[in-house]
PDB file of all heavy atoms in Angstrom:
ATOM      1  N   ILE A 210     217.972 239.557 -70.792  1.00 95.00           N
ATOM      2  CA  ILE A 210     217.689 238.231 -70.135  1.00 95.00           C
ATOM      3  C   ILE A 210     218.977 237.622 -69.810  1.00 95.00           C
ATOM      4  O   ILE A 210     219.906 237.448 -70.619  1.00 95.00           O
ATOM      5  CB  ILE A 210     216.927 237.262 -71.106  1.00 95.00           C
ATOM      6  CG1 ILE A 210     215.681 237.911 -71.693  1.00 95.00           C
ATOM      7  CG2 ILE A 210     216.630 235.942 -70.448  1.00 95.00           C
ATOM      8  CD1 ILE A 210     214.634 238.247 -70.676  1.00 95.00           C
ATOM      9  N   GLU A 211     219.159 237.306 -68.500  1.00 95.00           N
ATOM     10  CA  GLU A 211     220.431 236.813 -68.036  1.00 95.00           C
ATOM     11  C   GLU A 211     220.473 235.297 -67.996  1.00 95.00           C
ATOM     12  O   GLU A 211     219.548 234.659 -67.443  1.00 95.00           O
ATOM     13  CB  GLU A 211     220.719 237.355 -66.664  1.00 95.00           C
ATOM     14  CG  GLU A 211     222.153 237.070 -66.188  1.00 95.00           C
ATOM     15  CD  GLU A 211     222.652 238.129 -65.238  1.00 95.00           C
ATOM     16  OE1 GLU A 211     222.280 239.334 -65.354  1.00 95.00           O
ATOM     17  OE2 GLU A 211     223.426 237.722 -64.377  1.00 95.00           O
ATOM     18  N   PHE A 212     221.530 234.675 -68.555  1.00 95.00           N
ATOM     19  CA  PHE A 212     221.694 233.191 -68.501  1.00 95.00           C
ATOM     20  C   PHE A 212     222.938 232.908 -67.706  1.00 95.00           C
ATOM     21  O   PHE A 212     224.030 233.426 -68.070  1.00 95.00           O
ATOM     22  CB  PHE A 212     221.902 232.665 -69.949  1.00 95.00           C
ATOM     23  CG  PHE A 212     220.617 232.493 -70.678  1.00 95.00           C
ATOM     24  CD1 PHE A 212     220.113 233.526 -71.455  1.00 95.00           C
ATOM     25  CD2 PHE A 212     219.866 231.319 -70.581  1.00 95.00           C
ATOM     26  CE1 PHE A 212     218.913 233.367 -72.103  1.00 95.00           C
ATOM     27  CE2 PHE A 212     218.683 231.149 -71.242  1.00 95.00           C
ATOM     28  CZ  PHE A 212     218.232 232.200 -71.982  1.00 95.00           C
ATOM     29  N   ASN A 213     222.783 232.054 -66.750  1.00 96.00           N
ATOM     30  CA  ASN A 213     223.998 231.524 -66.047  1.00 96.00           C
ATOM     31  C   ASN A 213     224.582 230.457 -66.968  1.00 96.00           C
ATOM     32  O   ASN A 213     223.931 229.440 -67.225  1.00 96.00           O
ATOM     33  CB  ASN A 213     223.594 230.945 -64.697  1.00 96.00           C
ATOM     34  CG  ASN A 213     224.718 230.153 -64.092  1.00 96.00           C
ATOM     35  OD1 ASN A 213     225.849 230.196 -64.542  1.00 96.00           O
ATOM     36  ND2 ASN A 213     224.447 229.539 -62.982  1.00 96.00           N
ATOM     37  N   VAL A 214     225.793 230.698 -67.512  1.00 96.00           N
ATOM     38  CA  VAL A 214     226.388 229.761 -68.448  1.00 96.00           C
ATOM     39  C   VAL A 214     227.547 228.953 -67.838  1.00 96.00           C
ATOM     40  O   VAL A 214     228.289 228.322 -68.509  1.00 96.00           O
ATOM     41  CB  VAL A 214     226.861 230.449 -69.735  1.00 96.00           C
ATOM     42  CG1 VAL A 214     225.638 230.903 -70.567  1.00 96.00           C
ATOM     43  CG2 VAL A 214     227.724 231.658 -69.427  1.00 96.00           C
ATOM     44  N   ASP A 215     227.532 228.923 -66.486  1.00 95.00           N
ATOM     45  CA  ASP A 215     228.520 228.094 -65.834  1.00 95.00           C
ATOM     46  C   ASP A 215     227.928 226.673 -65.593  1.00 95.00           C
ATOM     47  O   ASP A 215     227.779 226.218 -64.443  1.00 95.00           O
ATOM     48  CB  ASP A 215     228.968 228.717 -64.493  1.00 95.00           C
ATOM     49  CG  ASP A 215     230.109 227.906 -63.866  1.00 95.00           C
ATOM     50  OD1 ASP A 215     230.632 227.036 -64.541  1.00 95.00           O
ATOM     51  OD2 ASP A 215     230.488 228.270 -62.698  1.00 95.00           O
ATOM     52  N   LYS A 216     227.523 226.084 -66.690  1.00 91.00           N
ATOM     53  CA  LYS A 216     226.989 224.684 -66.675  1.00 91.00           C
ATOM     54  C   LYS A 216     227.198 224.060 -68.030  1.00 91.00           C
ATOM     55  O   LYS A 216     227.703 224.761 -68.941  1.00 91.00           O
ATOM     56  CB  LYS A 216     225.490 224.723 -66.279  1.00 91.00           C
ATOM     57  CG  LYS A 216     224.628 225.745 -67.018  1.00 91.00           C
ATOM     58  CD  LYS A 216     223.221 225.633 -66.569  1.00 91.00           C
ATOM     59  CE  LYS A 216     222.732 226.977 -66.133  1.00 91.00           C
ATOM     60  NZ  LYS A 216     221.317 227.090 -65.871  1.00 91.00           N
ATOM     61  N   ASN A 217     226.794 222.821 -68.172  1.00 89.00           N
ATOM     62  CA  ASN A 217     227.163 222.185 -69.472  1.00 89.00           C
ATOM     63  C   ASN A 217     226.282 222.731 -70.602  1.00 89.00           C
ATOM     64  O   ASN A 217     225.242 223.322 -70.386  1.00 89.00           O
ATOM     65  CB  ASN A 217     227.214 220.672 -69.380  1.00 89.00           C
ATOM     66  CG  ASN A 217     225.820 220.047 -69.428  1.00 89.00           C
ATOM     67  OD1 ASN A 217     224.929 220.484 -70.129  1.00 89.00           O
ATOM     68  ND2 ASN A 217     225.631 219.020 -68.627  1.00 89.00           N
ATOM     69  N   LEU A 218     226.838 222.541 -71.801  1.00 90.00           N
ATOM     70  CA  LEU A 218     226.266 223.150 -73.005  1.00 90.00           C
ATOM     71  C   LEU A 218     224.818 222.735 -73.217  1.00 90.00           C
ATOM     72  O   LEU A 218     223.989 223.550 -73.582  1.00 90.00           O
ATOM     73  CB  LEU A 218     227.164 222.732 -74.140  1.00 90.00           C
ATOM     74  CG  LEU A 218     226.876 223.337 -75.490  1.00 90.00           C
ATOM     75  CD1 LEU A 218     226.876 224.848 -75.458  1.00 90.00           C
ATOM     76  CD2 LEU A 218     227.893 222.839 -76.528  1.00 90.00           C
ATOM     77  N   ASP A 219     224.507 221.429 -72.999  1.00 92.00           N
ATOM     78  CA  ASP A 219     223.172 220.922 -73.221  1.00 92.00           C
ATOM     79  C   ASP A 219     222.146 221.689 -72.354  1.00 92.00           C
ATOM     80  O   ASP A 219     221.046 222.088 -72.819  1.00 92.00           O
ATOM     81  CB  ASP A 219     223.022 219.477 -72.912  1.00 92.00           C
ATOM     82  CG  ASP A 219     223.840 218.639 -73.902  1.00 92.00           C
ATOM     83  OD1 ASP A 219     224.142 219.153 -75.020  1.00 92.00           O
ATOM     84  OD2 ASP A 219     224.153 217.459 -73.580  1.00 92.00           O
ATOM     85  N   ALA A 220     222.572 221.940 -71.104  1.00 94.00           N
ATOM     86  CA  ALA A 220     221.649 222.630 -70.145  1.00 94.00           C
ATOM     87  C   ALA A 220     221.459 224.100 -70.621  1.00 94.00           C
ATOM     88  O   ALA A 220     220.295 224.624 -70.613  1.00 94.00           O
ATOM     89  CB  ALA A 220     222.204 222.584 -68.738  1.00 94.00           C
ATOM     90  N   VAL A 221     222.514 224.715 -71.071  1.00 94.00           N
ATOM     91  CA  VAL A 221     222.403 226.090 -71.495  1.00 94.00           C
ATOM     92  C   VAL A 221     221.487 226.170 -72.776  1.00 94.00           C
ATOM     93  O   VAL A 221     220.607 227.031 -72.894  1.00 94.00           O
ATOM     94  CB  VAL A 221     223.790 226.682 -71.877  1.00 94.00           C
ATOM     95  CG1 VAL A 221     223.690 228.048 -72.532  1.00 94.00           C
ATOM     96  CG2 VAL A 221     224.702 226.763 -70.635  1.00 94.00           C
ATOM     97  N   PHE A 222     221.703 225.218 -73.673  1.00 95.00           N
ATOM     98  CA  PHE A 222     220.897 225.235 -74.926  1.00 95.00           C
ATOM     99  C   PHE A 222     219.417 224.952 -74.622  1.00 95.00           C
ATOM    100  O   PHE A 222     218.531 225.639 -75.205  1.00 95.00           O
ATOM    101  CB  PHE A 222     221.480 224.183 -75.865  1.00 95.00           C
ATOM    102  CG  PHE A 222     220.816 224.204 -77.251  1.00 95.00           C
ATOM    103  CD1 PHE A 222     220.583 225.423 -77.891  1.00 95.00           C
ATOM    104  CD2 PHE A 222     220.479 223.050 -77.954  1.00 95.00           C
ATOM    105  CE1 PHE A 222     219.981 225.471 -79.152  1.00 95.00           C
ATOM    106  CE2 PHE A 222     219.902 223.129 -79.204  1.00 95.00           C
ATOM    107  CZ  PHE A 222     219.668 224.315 -79.805  1.00 95.00           C
ATOM    108  N   THR A 223     219.113 224.033 -73.679  1.00 94.00           N
ATOM    109  CA  THR A 223     217.752 223.736 -73.307  1.00 94.00           C
ATOM    110  C   THR A 223     217.073 225.046 -72.769  1.00 94.00           C
ATOM    111  O   THR A 223     215.961 225.381 -73.181  1.00 94.00           O
ATOM    112  CB  THR A 223     217.703 222.673 -72.245  1.00 94.00           C
ATOM    113  OG1 THR A 223     218.324 221.483 -72.792  1.00 94.00           O
ATOM    114  CG2 THR A 223     216.267 222.289 -71.835  1.00 94.00           C
ATOM    115  N   GLU A 224     217.820 225.697 -71.934  1.00 94.00           N
ATOM    116  CA  GLU A 224     217.264 226.916 -71.322  1.00 94.00           C
ATOM    117  C   GLU A 224     217.037 227.974 -72.417  1.00 94.00           C
ATOM    118  O   GLU A 224     215.990 228.665 -72.423  1.00 94.00           O
ATOM    119  CB  GLU A 224     218.255 227.460 -70.286  1.00 94.00           C
ATOM    120  CG  GLU A 224     217.615 228.236 -69.152  1.00 94.00           C
ATOM    121  CD  GLU A 224     218.680 228.532 -68.092  1.00 94.00           C
ATOM    122  OE1 GLU A 224     219.386 227.628 -67.605  1.00 94.00           O
ATOM    123  OE2 GLU A 224     218.810 229.715 -67.818  1.00 94.00           O
ATOM    124  N   PHE A 225     218.013 228.060 -73.284  1.00 94.00           N
ATOM    125  CA  PHE A 225     217.866 229.107 -74.383  1.00 94.00           C
ATOM    126  C   PHE A 225     216.675 228.813 -75.247  1.00 94.00           C
ATOM    127  O   PHE A 225     215.923 229.675 -75.645  1.00 94.00           O
ATOM    128  CB  PHE A 225     219.129 229.189 -75.197  1.00 94.00           C
ATOM    129  CG  PHE A 225     219.063 230.255 -76.218  1.00 94.00           C
ATOM    130  CD1 PHE A 225     219.211 231.620 -75.888  1.00 94.00           C
ATOM    131  CD2 PHE A 225     218.783 229.955 -77.538  1.00 94.00           C
ATOM    132  CE1 PHE A 225     219.078 232.621 -76.829  1.00 94.00           C
ATOM    133  CE2 PHE A 225     218.654 230.961 -78.515  1.00 94.00           C
ATOM    134  CZ  PHE A 225     218.820 232.291 -78.101  1.00 94.00           C
TER     135      PHE A 225
END
Side-chain angles (χ1 to χ4, degrees):
I210 305 297
E211 189 151 328
F212 280 91
N213 171 7
V214 289
D215 187 7
K216 46 179 129 172
N217 79 39
L218 186 56
D219 293 341
V221 173
F222 188 43
T223 302
E224 209 173 306
F225 183 77

